[in-house]
Amino acid sequence: MASQDFNRKLAAILHADVKGYSRLMGEDEEATVSTLTVCMEVMSVLIEKHRGRVVGGAGDSLLAEFVSVVSAVRCAVEIQEHLKTVNDEIAEDRKVVFRIGINLGDVIEKDGDLLGDGVNIAARVEALADGGGICITRSAYDQVKKKLNLVYEYQGAHHLKNIAEPVRVYKVLTASEHSSQLIGESKIPIPLSKKVVIATSAILALVVVITIWSLYPFSPKIEPASIGKMAFSLPDIPSIAVLPFTNMSDDPKQEYFADGITEDLITDLSQMSGLFVIARNSTFVYKEKPVKIRQVAEELGVRYVLEGSVRKAGEQVRINTNLIDATTGNHIWAKRYDGKLDNIFALQDKITRKIFTALAVKLSTGEQKKIGRKETDNIEAYDAFLKGWEHYRRWTPEDFRKAIPFFEKAIELDPQYGRPYAAIASVYTEGYQRAWDWSHVLGVSAEAMPGLAGEYLKEALKNPTPLAHQVASKWYIILLFSEEAIAEAERAIALDSNDAVGYTAMAGALIYSGRPEEAVAFVNKAIRLDPHNIPNYLYTQGLAYFGMEQFEEAVSFFERAFKLNPEIG
């Protein structure tokens, strides 16, 4: 029989599975699967971060390969640290605890899978690890023993199932303060000459270098941002700006869809308390401009920047994302997501979760549940809303008129969809305030607008969004119900703590409630979240100082606002 050529290579193999998985599933399948899903997502993100590849897995197990043992061990240590956080709020007997084994060995690659003793040994060594622990083989230990600030405890030579030769195993002690120290191993004679050892090591090193060179293309260096040159001090929590995703579709008319995906990601991220997120208005200033990551970070005062692209072709969608630490110029991860249009919400959720994991953002139980919750499951309604929202964002009477039919179509397709109701209520509220020059464009009399606004707002508040509460706050100001206006602004901020519009709504409610001195702090918060949308906030600052009877300061703010935007007010 003729010998078959196989694609062989040297690889660092990481194998992980759950300790006591059968017991956990027997006691509560749904809770176990839910926690396991989060854990698997955490591991996948971290593996990508450390330039590894998830090869596969079944049930509670995961198999990954790395071109560097150092990367594999670093990744394993970080995985165990992150999984402790995932398990923090779970009862001791319900925690999903992983064991990890790492081996450096020769493997066969076939159709993307990895086969051979190199894989089998990693799996057998993993079974020797404690829950939440890491075990590595001698071949892996030799590569990391002087490169990582870790302690390794020798566990002896083990006869592993279906493995011919005994395998020496080392436990990774991640909590130790010592570095590169080996505990428990006596000197073991090596039956190879010194020359053979040197030659073998050189060959292994060469293989690793060649593998790295072939697998990873050159990526241009990003110039790091200077923290000292940032327009604002970095927040105490992770901070991020999401740049407008590029429309890579053949049809330029799909621009609204790429913008909608970007804005939804901003919204999903901003609703979590452990992350500081720059507002949409300020990041969209960079749309279609050749800006540098350094410039974005320094102008907005953030550490991380997310950029990406969207391609929509028929029912297929492809989203490319790239998360960058602007202060170092390093790419944290880059990922491509492919799927059908009717699965777009799941793709968005994957991106959101990866960002939270990569930035080590700790989510409360309520926030974890909020990630997968969407305002509508109807893709056609969502698409219609995005088309209307493209016009709504331009904030002109002509575009408001064009937006309304799209919002009405979204409502027709999903009568429970709250945001289009809120958007129409906002249109008629704004139209009512400017009735003298907007009424004829919208095609609705000034007398009819309050009734229409109230009707749509009532429906919007059945499934409330931050926008619904912002509009409600404005209506209560019009009606001179000051306490109600403040309460609605508080509800808007509670739903989205990074929404600059919510803070502006609160500032307006406080000013018209006779508490202008309290409004200033809310305006400053809005400016920090939305630094490229200054005119509106300067005008509101002027109103606050006018209310405090500090007229010179008020005039100064008004003049600056009018200079930047003559049409404001």
Side-chain angles (χ1 to χ4, degrees):
M1 181 177 178
S3 63
Q4 182 177 352
D5 290 332
F6 289 106
N7 180 21
R8 287 187 173 274
K9 64 180 181 179
L10 187 69
I13 304 299
L14 181 152
H15 191 275
D17 79 358
V18 177
K19 182 180 180 181
Y21 179 67
S22 298
R23 175 188 64 79
L24 292 168
M25 288 293 286
E27 293 176 355
D28 191 334
E29 288 184 345
E30 291 187 0
T32 300
V33 171
S34 177
T35 305
L36 179 65
T37 300
V38 175
C39 291
M40 288 294 189
E41 188 67 25
V42 168
M43 290 194 290
S44 296
V45 170
L46 293 176
I47 288 166
E48 289 181 13
K49 174 183 173 182
H50 290 276
R51 305 190 74 171
R53 176 177 75 95
V54 175
V55 178
D60 66 320
S61 67
L62 179 144
L63 179 66
E65 70 161 328
F66 298 78
V67 296
S68 162
V69 181
V70 172
S71 295
V73 175
R74 278 179 176 156
C75 180
V77 171
E78 195 168 346
I79 283 174
Q80 296 295 27
E81 290 174 351
H82 276 73
L83 293 188
K84 286 178 184 177
T85 302
V86 173
N87 281 297
D88 272 352
E89 299 182 11
I90 301 175
E92 190 65 34
D93 61 339
R94 296 301 311 155
K95 295 183 187 296
V96 175
V97 180
F98 277 80
R99 302 171 295 190
I100 296 177
I102 296 173
N103 176 48
L104 174 66
D106 188 85
V107 296
I108 296 173
E109 184 172 31
K110 181 181 180 183
D111 299 327
D113 292 331
L114 298 181
L115 308 168
D117 279 353
V119 176
N120 296 336
I121 291 173
R124 302 285 188 265
V125 168
E126 168 263 297
L128 300 175
D130 299 326
I134 305 163
C135 278
I136 64 177
T137 62
R138 176 73 196 204
S139 61
Y141 168 74
D142 285 339
Q143 302 301 314
V144 299
K145 58 186 178 182
K146 293 184 179 180
K147 296 183 177 68
L148 297 175
N149 189 32
L150 299 168
V151 170
Y152 310 91
E153 183 176 2
Y154 181 55
Q155 303 291 296
H158 290 259
H159 293 274
L160 305 178
K161 183 179 179 181
N162 297 327
I163 303 300
E165 299 292 332
V167 176
R168 279 176 284 165
V169 178
Y170 302 78
K171 179 180 179 181
V172 180
L173 304 180
T174 59
S176 176
E177 296 179 353
H178 305 290
S179 63
S180 302
Q181 178 181 340
L182 175 62
I183 300 174
E185 183 182 29
S186 59
K187 291 183 178 180
I188 301 174
I190 302 176
L192 292 176
S193 70
K194 187 175 181 180
K195 289 184 178 181
V196 173
V197 172
I198 294 173
T200 303
S201 299
I203 292 171
L204 291 177
L206 181 61
V207 170
V208 172
V209 170
I210 292 173
T211 304
I212 294 174
W213 185 270
S214 63
L215 288 181
Y216 290 98
F218 173 76
S219 57
K221 175 67 176 175
I222 294 176
E223 183 181 357
S226 170
I227 295 178
K229 293 181 179 179
M230 288 188 176
F232 303 89
S233 298
L234 285 178
D236 295 331
I237 56 177
S239 51
I240 189 171
V242 181
L243 293 178
F245 281 22
T246 303
N247 173 32
M248 300 297 290
S249 306
D250 294 333
D251 183 3
K253 293 181 180 179
Q254 296 298 324
E255 195 75 26
Y256 78 93
F257 189 78
D259 289 350
I261 295 296
T262 308
E263 189 161 351
D264 274 2
L265 284 173
I266 293 173
T267 300
D268 290 344
L269 293 172
S270 67
Q271 291 178 358
M272 305 304 161
S273 58
L275 191 62
F276 181 92
V277 185
I278 292 295
R280 181 257 189 215
N281 285 336
S282 282
T283 58
F284 269 68
V285 166
Y286 302 105
K287 185 176 173 66
E288 297 179 351
K289 294 181 180 178
V291 295
K292 296 181 178 180
I293 297 299
R294 174 188 56 79
Q295 175 189 347
V296 173
E298 290 178 356
E299 290 180 352
L300 300 179
V302 294
R303 177 173 180 177
Y304 301 99
V305 176
L306 181 74
E307 58 182 3
S309 64
V310 178
R311 181 184 296 276
K312 180 184 174 192
E315 296 302 309
Q316 297 297 317
V317 178
R318 169 172 291 176
I319 304 176
N320 288 295
T321 55
N322 187 15
L323 182 62
I324 301 160
D325 184 339
T327 62
T328 64
N330 293 332
H331 295 257
I332 297 177
W333 53 257
K335 179 72 174 177
R336 186 182 77 192
Y337 300 86
D338 292 317
K340 292 186 177 180
L341 182 60
D342 60 7
N343 200 36
I344 187 64
F345 300 139
L347 297 181
Q348 291 176 355
D349 290 344
K350 286 182 178 180
I351 297 171
T352 303
R353 290 183 185 277
K354 283 186 180 291
I355 293 172
F356 288 137
T357 302
L359 303 187
V361 176
K362 188 173 181 179
L363 304 178
S364 67
T365 302
E367 288 175 335
Q368 290 179 13
K369 293 178 180 178
K370 190 187 292 186
I371 292 179
R373 195 180 302 157
K374 294 298 178 183
E375 297 172 26
T376 181
D377 293 325
N378 189 310
I379 298 300
E380 292 183 9
Y382 174 72
D383 192 66
F385 173 81
L386 291 184
K387 290 176 179 176
W389 196 248
E390 181 185 30
H391 290 290
Y392 175 90
R393 277 295 189 182
R394 294 171 185 164
W395 208 257
T396 68
E398 291 79 9
D399 279 291
F400 272 5
R401 178 179 55 79
K402 293 176 182 178
I404 289 175
F406 290 112
F407 293 146
E408 290 174 338
K409 180 65 174 178
I411 292 170
E412 178 186 339
L413 291 166
D414 183 358
Q416 306 304 314
Y417 193 1
R419 199 149 43 134
Y421 287 110
I424 296 178
S426 178
V427 167
Y428 288 130
T429 299
E430 192 69 20
Y432 175 67
Q433 289 186 303
R434 306 177 185 230
W436 57 89
D437 60 351
W438 283 42
S439 178
H440 68 284
V441 178
L442 294 178
V444 178
S445 68
E447 293 77 16
M449 285 189 192
L452 289 170
E455 177 185 337
Y456 281 102
L457 183 57
K458 180 180 179 181
E459 293 299 319
L461 289 171
K462 291 179 180 178
N463 295 288
T465 60
L467 177 61
H469 290 302
Q470 292 159 12
V471 176
S473 181
K474 182 178 287 189
W475 256 115
Y476 280 125
I477 290 174
I478 294 172
L479 298 174
L480 303 180
F481 292 162
S482 59
E483 293 305 314
E484 289 82 354
I486 292 173
E488 288 296 335
E490 287 176 340
R491 294 184 182 104
I493 293 171
L495 284 179
D496 190 341
S497 60
N498 283 287
D499 189 349
V501 180
Y503 291 101
T504 308
M506 176 60 81
L510 289 168
I511 290 168
Y512 288 102
S513 298
R515 297 157 58 183
E517 64 283 348
E518 298 177 46
V520 174
F522 287 95
V523 181
N524 289 335
K525 178 69 173 178
I527 291 173
R528 179 65 183 92
L529 289 164
D530 192 10
H532 283 323
N533 193 28
I534 295 297
N536 290 330
Y537 306 130
L538 292 176
Y539 184 80
T540 306
Q541 287 277 47
L543 293 176
Y545 280 96
F546 186 86
M548 290 186 281
E549 298 184 357
Q550 297 181 25
F551 301 121
E552 289 186 8
E553 289 84 351
V555 169
S556 175
F557 280 112
F558 288 144
E559 287 178 343
R560 290 164 60 193
F562 289 131
K563 184 177 181 180
L564 292 170
N565 182 4
E567 297 181 3
I568 200 169

